[in-house]
Amino acid sequence: MSAALKYQGTRLLAASSRLSILQKTAKPSLLRGYHATSARLGVAHSGSQTVVNAEKYTLNTYARPTLVLSHGKGSYLYDTDGKKYLDFTAGIAVVALGHNHPDITAAVTDQASKLVHCSNLYHNEWAPQLASNIVESTIAAYPQGTQGIYAQAADGRSPARVFFSNSGTEANEGALKFARKYGKHVAELGTLGKGTSEALRGDPNLKCGIVSFTGGFHGRSMGALSVTANPKYQKPFTPLIPGVQTAKYNSTSEIGAFVDERTCGVIVEPIQGEGGIHPAQVDFLRALRRRCDQVGALLIYDEIQCGLGRSGKLWAHQLYPEDCSPDILTMAKPLANGIPIGAILVSDKVAELIKVGEHGTTFGGNPLACRVGCTVLDHIAKSEFLEHVQNAGQVLEQELQQALAPFVGSTVVELRGTGLLRGIQFTSDPAQIVDLARDRGLMLVGAGGNTVRLVPPLNTSIADIKRGAAIIADCVKQFAAERKA
């Protein structure tokens, strides 16, 4: 345990003891005054009591340090003791515009005073607007696109449509459902060769297979978990949904064996996030696109973490050639800068199959989240914003390459990623580096394969990018020295 954690643990016990004594001995008026003062300061009694309440009343599913965050501004977070942290987590790639952004605050405040929720029984002003913005900005950012979500629709219809959900895992659940229905449609058409077509026509449910890949992460609900090939997440909840196979990520040679005429959908991250920041190879995505076309399966890109500007492009797949484009694109994390939202962007050939009543949501597409989504997308879709992400990512890469060069091969395996989605893989568990960085006022988050993930707000200044890189270098130096001792 680090010195900082021991210190915070001691403070927690002391503060808890003081509050317990106060609750037992103080007059009600004094206790009311204590709570009123805490409320004015913007904390729930104290940081210590918050941790006590969390341990007592919330489900034990997270391992967290004892600090309690109270507010943020820009690329910085502050705890209830007033300590300031440079945030290289952005709420796990969520807070794209930073904390307390004035445009986000204004949109939330104004919309909350008008209409927060009305369900999907009725139209609201903002869901169609955000859907339009997503479709039009996606097409504008990738004019060379001709396949999948970019394919021209008949009769002048939009080439793609949007369904709103509340989170990334819900977006992926919807995508898997849509793939299942599309598989039945293809089976009933009978266009996959005589023998196969006859078998599938006899039982369209046979075309139900889903292929995912090693290192992928798609969520924790049952369908999304079933395509997340990590025993740590899956094993406690087996058996999972049937019909799912896992192929090796970036292995083009395996695609033909796994993706066949009984496959209805293939789900993949163009850049894996939770798995350790692994970009897909061009030949791999191209082969997936080609094979899906051959067997009548949908290609689903999960861009929940790597999309919406994180890679330096509006979408990570826009870093790749046009013959790698998806049929379905899922998104969530940064879309409303922390207000819960998710979305599924589907091509016209998928949209025309989904009928009224076949999918739905209570909260998805609510006017509050969608209005904030419009505000976020107005920023992210601008070319100058994406140029800043590219430049900041290059600076971060250069600073880290120079600072960590002496440790490559001994402590550091390699640096990976693009834009402001970066990873540093270490030769051993880097949890101590995350602790050391936090002690120095820098928030980091881990990922799979002994990797530390760097996902700061997309508008983080170049000066703060350099500051964060310097702190990381200092932590790695100490980490390496302690391993040698």
Side-chain angles (χ1 to χ4, degrees):
M1 180 181 292
S2 70
L5 285 178
K6 290 180 180 178
Y7 171 69
Q8 290 205 33
T10 302
R11 292 178 62 253
L12 172 60
L13 291 173
S16 299
S17 177
R18 288 195 298 271
L19 181 59
S20 178
I21 294 171
L22 180 62
Q23 289 172 328
K24 292 177 181 178
T25 63
K27 295 180 180 180
S29 60
L30 178 59
L31 205 53
R32 285 195 298 271
Y34 170 82
H35 292 311
T37 299
S38 296
R40 285 197 302 272
L41 292 174
V43 297
H45 312 326
S46 69
S48 304
Q49 186 60 34
T50 298
V51 175
V52 170
N53 287 344
E55 293 178 349
K56 184 176 181 180
Y57 296 111
T58 64
L59 199 61
N60 182 30
T61 55
Y62 303 105
R64 292 179 279 215
T66 56
L67 65 90
V68 177
L69 299 175
S70 62
H71 63 287
K73 182 66 177 176
S75 298
Y76 286 86
L77 289 164
Y78 300 81
D79 67 20
T80 51
D81 291 328
K83 185 173 179 179
K84 180 179 179 180
Y85 304 87
L86 177 57
D87 185 9
F88 266 35
T89 71
I92 315 183
V94 169
V95 191
L97 302 186
H99 303 281
N100 195 18
H101 190 285
D103 293 350
I104 301 298
T105 302
V108 170
T109 302
D110 185 62
Q111 191 59 40
S113 71
K114 294 177 178 177
L115 182 66
V116 172
H117 177 77
C118 61
S119 85
N120 286 296
L121 294 173
Y122 312 99
H123 292 292
N124 70 71
E125 294 178 276
W126 292 100
Q129 184 62 59
L130 180 55
S132 171
N133 292 357
I134 290 171
V135 172
E136 296 301 329
S137 62
T138 298
I139 294 169
Y142 199 67
Q144 66 269 43
T146 59
Q147 299 186 42
I149 58 174
Y150 302 97
Q152 290 297 313
D155 303 325
R157 295 195 306 269
S158 169
R161 304 287 183 92
V162 175
F163 178 89
F164 289 113
S165 64
N166 307 289
S167 66
T169 192
E170 288 179 61
N172 283 336
E173 290 284 349
L176 297 177
K177 281 182 66 176
F178 297 163
R180 282 278 173 89
K181 180 162 190 192
Y182 184 81
K184 287 186 178 183
H185 168 71
V186 173
E188 291 165 352
L189 287 178
T191 57
L192 294 177
K194 186 176 180 181
T196 301
S197 294
E198 289 176 356
L200 294 178
R201 270 182 166 173
D203 185 2
N205 286 328
L206 291 174
K207 191 168 176 60
C208 66
I210 297 168
V211 176
S212 61
F213 296 91
T214 55
F217 183 87
H218 303 289
R220 297 177 187 263
S221 53
M222 289 304 287
L225 181 63
S226 298
V227 294
T228 296
N230 187 327
K232 179 177 73 172
Y233 299 129
Q234 289 186 337
K235 188 175 180 180
F237 306 104
T238 54
L240 303 172
I241 67 170
V244 176
Q245 296 188 87
T246 303
K248 186 177 179 181
Y249 189 70
N250 273 332
S251 177
T252 304
S253 62
E254 291 191 4
I255 292 174
F258 282 87
V259 183
D260 59 25
E261 286 79 4
R262 295 194 179 194
T263 304
C264 67
V266 174
I267 185 167
V268 64
E269 295 166 271
I271 304 174
Q272 291 185 338
E274 178 74 19
I277 319 300
H278 296 282
Q281 296 170 1
V282 173
D283 288 347
F284 174 65
L285 293 185
R286 180 178 283 139
L288 281 180
R289 174 72 275 170
R290 186 184 307 117
R291 184 59 175 165
C292 284
D293 289 339
Q294 290 171 351
V295 301
L298 294 179
L299 180 57
I300 304 166
Y301 282 172
D302 176 343
E303 294 219 27
I304 289 162
Q305 184 161 171
C306 64
L308 287 166
R310 179 61 57 182
S311 69
K313 295 289 187 179
L314 184 60
W315 302 107
H317 74 264
Q318 293 176 342
L319 293 165
Y320 296 83
E322 62 271 16
D323 56 352
C324 299
S325 300
D327 299 301
I328 298 180
L329 177 68
T330 59
M331 66 195 80
K333 284 180 178 290
L335 184 54
N337 213 62
I339 302 295
I341 192 173
I344 314 167
L345 181 64
V346 302
S347 64
D348 179 67
K349 72 178 183 181
V350 179
E352 65 179 359
L353 295 179
I354 307 303
K355 307 303 179 185
V356 172
E358 291 186 337
H359 198 49
T361 172
T362 296
F363 297 104
N366 70 76
L368 177 64
C370 288
R371 179 167 179 184
V372 177
C374 286
T375 301
V376 171
L377 199 57
D378 282 347
H379 283 269
I380 289 177
K382 292 178 179 176
S383 59
E384 57 267 30
F385 186 95
L386 295 172
E387 287 172 6
H388 170 78
V389 176
Q390 295 167 20
N391 293 336
Q394 290 171 1
V395 169
L396 181 58
E397 181 179 15
Q398 292 166 1
E399 294 287 314
L400 289 173
Q401 282 181 339
Q402 182 176 355
L404 301 183
F407 306 102
V408 173
S410 55
T411 303
V412 174
V413 176
E414 65 176 345
L415 280 69
R416 293 189 293 267
T418 187
L420 287 176
L421 179 57
R422 300 281 174 169
I424 308 171
Q425 185 177 356
F426 292 87
T427 55
S428 60
D429 183 359
Q432 184 186 352
I433 289 176
V434 176
D435 290 341
L436 291 170
R438 188 171 59 249
D439 292 344
R440 289 163 168 79
L442 176 67
M443 294 293 199
L444 299 175
V445 60
N450 290 336
T451 301
V452 170
R453 192 174 0 175
L454 313 178
V455 282
L458 300 183
N459 56 357
T460 299
S461 70
I462 297 299
D464 280 337
I465 290 292
K466 291 181 176 181
R467 179 172 179 264
I471 294 173
I472 292 168
D474 187 45
C475 294
V476 173
K477 183 178 180 180
Q478 180 179 340
F479 179 66
E482 291 179 359
R483 288 177 69 233
K484 286 183 179 180

